[in-house]
């Protein structure tokens, strides 16, 4: 017997928030301003950034800085500043249909939490820019949870903060391998990959996704098809 879901944990950039290369641009500005990636060819550094999309930015910069935590902290601060600059320059947009998809999940009786590898200041700027303060139930960054993805901490913190009854009652969706691995490690009842961000179908499937969707708007339909929505929603 399947456990009806109570909580959906959704990634931000690339899953609900349109990225359009902004993360890579911010990494490039941060690297140029701090020299954090100077020890390796830029193409190699950028490839590492792409592979680790979704992970805590401090962890990514610590690798680029060869373990120099102080340099990584300076680069992370530069990244957050650069990201804010780019958002101010270009604005922020949702993945088409994301707000309606979130509202649809809430209408189905689910709690919705957003998670991200960004610091709270960047996370909150995105939410404010989209006007989503009242749409979501909670938003979490690695600093709120302990470790960033692919560790399970963000998902488990969402469960604890929302008083969800069990990990089986949690669904996770994201565009990166780290998102999927985080959901799997947390023991989530359903984990989906989406194709609107960093990683492709083979990578998301190999990471253990139960389903790989074109975008977040397909999530509610898949959950309904698998009879995972709360009974109150399916009987109305």
């Amino acid at each position: 017997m399947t456990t009806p879901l109570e909580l959906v944990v959704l990634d931000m950039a690339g899953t609900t928030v349109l990225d359009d290369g902004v993360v890579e641009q911010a990494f490039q500005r941060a690297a140029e301003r701090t020299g954090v990636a100077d020890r390796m060819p830029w193409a190699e550094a950028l490839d590492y950034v792409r592979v680790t999309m979704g992970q805590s930015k401090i962890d990514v910069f610590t690798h680029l800085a060869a373990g120099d935590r102080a340099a990584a902290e300076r680069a992370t601060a530069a990244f957050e500043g650069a990201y804010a600059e780019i958002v101010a320059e270009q604005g922020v947009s949702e993945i088409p249909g994301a707000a309606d998809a979130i509202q649809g999940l809430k209408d189905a009786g689910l709690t919705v939490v957003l998670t991200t590898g960004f610091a709270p200041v960047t996370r909150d700027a995105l939410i404010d820019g989209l006007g989503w303060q009242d749409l979501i139930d909670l938003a979490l960054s690695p600093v709120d949870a302990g470790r960033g993805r692919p560790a399970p901490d963000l998902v488990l913190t969402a469960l604890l903060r929302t008083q969800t009854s069990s990990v089986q009652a949690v669904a996770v969706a994201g565009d990166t391998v780290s998102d999927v691995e985080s959901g799997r490690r947390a023991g989530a009842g359903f984990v989906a990959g989406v194709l609107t961000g960093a990683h492709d179908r083979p990578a998301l499937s190999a990471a253990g996704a139960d389903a790989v969707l074109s975008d977040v708007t397909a999530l509610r339909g898949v959950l309904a098809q698998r009879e995972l929505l709360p009974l109150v929603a399916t009987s109305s």
Side-chain angles (χ1 to χ4, degrees), residues 210-235:
D210 294 308
V212 178
L213 312 175
S214 57
D215 57 48
V216 72
T217 65
L219 182 58
R220 179 176 170 171
V222 169
L223 297 179
Q225 186 179 36
R226 299 190 182 209
E227 299 182 342
L228 291 170
L229 295 179
L231 295 177
V232 63
T234 56
S235 61

Side-chain angles (χ1 to χ4, degrees), residues 174-187:
D175 67 295
T176 70
V177 165
S178 293
D179 293 316
V180 174
E181 289 180 347
S182 178
R184 286 272 78 98
R185 293 179 187 186

Side-chain angles (χ1 to χ4, degrees), residues 27-215:
F27 265 113
Q28 183 164 2
R29 291 189 189 188
E32 289 169 353
R33 292 169 185 176
T34 64
V36 71
D38 287 355
R39 72 183 183 88
M40 64 178 72
W42 174 247
E44 184 180 328
L46 188 58
D47 184 60
Y48 183 76
V49 167
R50 288 170 175 159
V51 169
T52 58
M53 281 286 189
Q55 294 185 19
S56 172
K57 300 302 174 273
I58 185 71
D59 294 341
V60 176
F61 279 121
T62 297
H63 172 84
L64 294 177
D68 185 337
R69 192 71 175 183
E73 287 173 356
R74 289 193 296 273
T76 300
F79 170 84
E80 300 291 349
Y83 196 97
E85 288 171 8
I86 296 165
V87 167
E89 292 161 10
Q90 302 178 7
V92 57
S93 302
E94 67 173 10
I95 293 289
D100 287 343
I102 292 170
Q103 188 60 56
L105 292 166
K106 290 172 66 74
D107 290 345
L110 298 166
T111 299
V112 177
V113 173
L114 297 184
T115 59
T116 181
F118 296 142
V121 62
T122 305
R123 175 198 75 204
D124 294 344
L126 291 173
I127 291 169
D128 290 347
L130 291 164
W132 283 4
Q133 302 93 328
D134 297 327
L135 177 65
I136 60 169
D137 294 287
L138 181 67
L140 297 170
S141 294
V143 71
D144 302 311
R147 296 171 296 177
R149 298 176 295 230
D153 302 30
L154 282 164
V155 176
L156 296 175
T157 300
L159 175 147
L160 291 168
R161 293 272 191 97
T162 59
Q163 298 186 319
T164 299
S165 65
S166 74
V167 290
Q168 279 295 309
V170 181
V172 174
D175 67 295
T176 70
V177 165
S178 293
D179 293 316
V180 174
E181 289 180 347
S182 178
R184 286 272 78 98
R185 293 179 187 186
F190 182 83
V191 180
V194 296
L195 296 173
T196 46
H199 295 151
D200 60 14
R201 183 181 297 276
L204 295 168
S205 295
D210 294 308
V212 178
L213 312 175
S214 57
D215 57 48

